[in-house]
Amino acid sequence: MMREEEYHDNFYETEASQIFESALFAEARRRVVGFLGKQIISSPKEYVLSLGSGDGNLDIQMAPLVGKILGVEISEIAVKQAKEKAKLAQVNNLDFQVGDIQKMSFTPNSFDVIWDPAVLHHIDDIQIAELLQNSLSCLKPGGTFISLDPSSRRFVGLFKKIFDEKYKKYHSPDERELDIKKIRNSFQRAGFSSVTIHYTDYFLGPLAWLFPNFPRAIVPLAAALDSLLLLVPIVQLIASFAVVAHKPSDPIDEEVH
C-alpha cells in the first residue's frame, strides 16, 4: 500500500495545481482564510504553527494577519512548491519545512496558534490523541488550536458510491471522515478548554475536488447557496466542521478543566 508521503508527493507533482488553482477551490480557500482570521487575535507578535501546510497557498494568504508562520508538511515536493510560491509572492514571514507531524518536537509554550486544515482525518484515533497532546505542549498558555475536517455525517457522503473512482483517487491511504462528537472528546481529553464546533462547508470543498473545471461564472452562486445551507441548524449538522480549542491560561484553569 502506498504510504502517505508517497501519495502526497505524487499528488503535488501531478494534479495539485489543477485542483488548488481552480476558481471553486479558490473560493473554498477564501472561506477558510476568513474563518481562521476570525478565530485569531491579530498581532504582529503572533507565531503560528501550520500543520500539513501543503503547497503554502493558505499560509501565504494568512501571512499578513500574523507575525510569523512555520509550516510543516510531509511532502518534500509540496514544501518546495510552498517556498517558491512564498518567494514569488514576496512574503517574508513564512518558513516551510519537511516533517512528519506525528514526530514533531518543538519547544514547549512556543506558539500562539496552531492550525491544521484537513489533517486530523489522515491519522487514526491514537495518533490524533498524541498529536493533540504534543500540540497542547507547543502552545503558549491561552493559545488557540484550530482544525478543519470532513464529517462522517456530511451530506456529500451519500454520493460517495457515485463518485467512487474519484473518491479513491483523491483520498490517501489513511484518510477518512471524522465523528464530530469523538473529535470533541479527543480535544477535551487532551486538556484543551473551550472546545467549540463550527460548521464550515456544506458542499463547496468536495465540489472543488470532484469538478476542478467547474464554471467560474457559477462559483458565486454555488458559494452563496453553500453559505445559506450552513445557516440552517439541522442542515449544518451534516456539513464539514472545524474545532476551535484553547490551551488553559494558567494552572487553575487546568485544575478546573
Side-chain angles (χ1 to χ4, degrees):
M1 179 181 293
M2 183 181 294
R3 294 178 296 124
E4 286 279 324
E5 180 180 354
E6 294 174 312
Y7 171 85
H8 286 94
D9 275 344
N10 180 68
F11 172 70
Y12 281 102
E13 195 169 33
T14 57
E15 299 183 78
S17 60
Q18 179 187 11
I19 295 173
F20 294 160
E21 294 175 13
S22 69
L24 198 57
F25 201 94
E27 177 61 29
R29 187 187 301 116
R30 184 198 63 78
R31 178 178 293 181
V32 173
V33 169
F35 176 77
L36 291 177
K38 290 179 181 178
Q39 304 309 316
I40 61 176
I41 300 174
S42 296
S43 164
K45 298 181 180 179
E46 204 154 65
Y47 191 16
V48 177
L49 174 61
S50 175
L51 302 178
S53 50
D55 63 358
N57 279 321
L58 176 64
D59 294 315
I60 289 171
Q61 293 190 32
M62 289 299 301
L65 304 180
V66 299
K68 182 180 179 180
I69 300 176
L70 171 61
V72 179
E73 165 62 42
I74 196 172
S75 169
E76 184 175 352
I77 292 174
V79 170
K80 181 180 179 181
Q81 293 175 356
K83 290 181 177 180
E84 291 173 349
K85 290 180 179 181
K87 183 178 180 180
L88 185 63
Q90 298 183 323
V91 179
N92 301 315
N93 61 337
L94 291 177
D95 183 23
F96 296 102
Q97 67 180 42
V98 180
D100 185 343
I101 61 174
Q102 291 300 120
K103 302 174 182 177
M104 67 180 185
S105 178
F106 295 105
T107 303
N109 306 320
S110 54
F111 296 99
D112 299 284
V113 178
I114 298 176
W115 59 54
D116 69 339
V119 168
L120 295 185
H121 70 284
H122 285 274
I123 57 180
D124 63 33
D125 293 344
I126 294 176
Q127 292 172 324
I128 287 175
E130 293 174 348
L131 177 62
L132 293 181
Q133 290 172 353
N134 289 339
S135 297
L136 189 72
S137 174
C138 294
L139 279 171
K140 295 177 182 179
T144 304
F145 188 105
I146 309 168
S147 67
L148 297 94
D149 289 283
S151 169
S152 58
R153 296 186 298 182
R154 63 178 180 170
F155 172 73
V156 295
L158 297 175
F159 303 96
K160 186 184 297 185
K161 291 185 177 180
I162 298 177
F163 301 104
D164 187 60
E165 186 176 342
K166 278 198 171 183
Y167 182 88
K168 291 179 180 178
K169 180 179 180 180
Y170 292 127
H171 279 66
S172 60
D174 300 326
E175 196 168 348
R176 66 212 168 104
E177 286 75 27
L178 299 179
D179 181 274
I180 296 176
K181 184 177 180 180
K182 287 179 64 176
I183 290 300
R184 181 196 286 117
N185 291 340
S186 295
F187 272 86
Q188 293 172 336
R189 285 195 299 269
F192 284 93
S193 61
S194 304
V195 181
T196 57
I197 303 296
H198 303 258
Y199 298 97
T200 58
D201 185 295
Y202 193 72
F203 59 73
L204 204 60
L207 275 184
W209 285 90
L210 291 171
F211 305 106
N213 295 320
F214 192 86
R216 182 180 295 271
I218 309 178
V219 169
L221 179 60
L225 177 58
D226 190 276
S227 297
L228 182 62
L229 290 171
L230 289 174
L231 296 176
V232 182
I234 296 179
V235 174
Q236 67 182 197
L237 295 177
I238 50 177
S240 293
F241 69 101
V243 179
V244 179
H246 302 278
K247 181 174 181 175
S249 298
D250 53 55
I252 295 177
D253 287 344
E254 293 183 359
E255 291 177 5
V256 172
H257 178 77

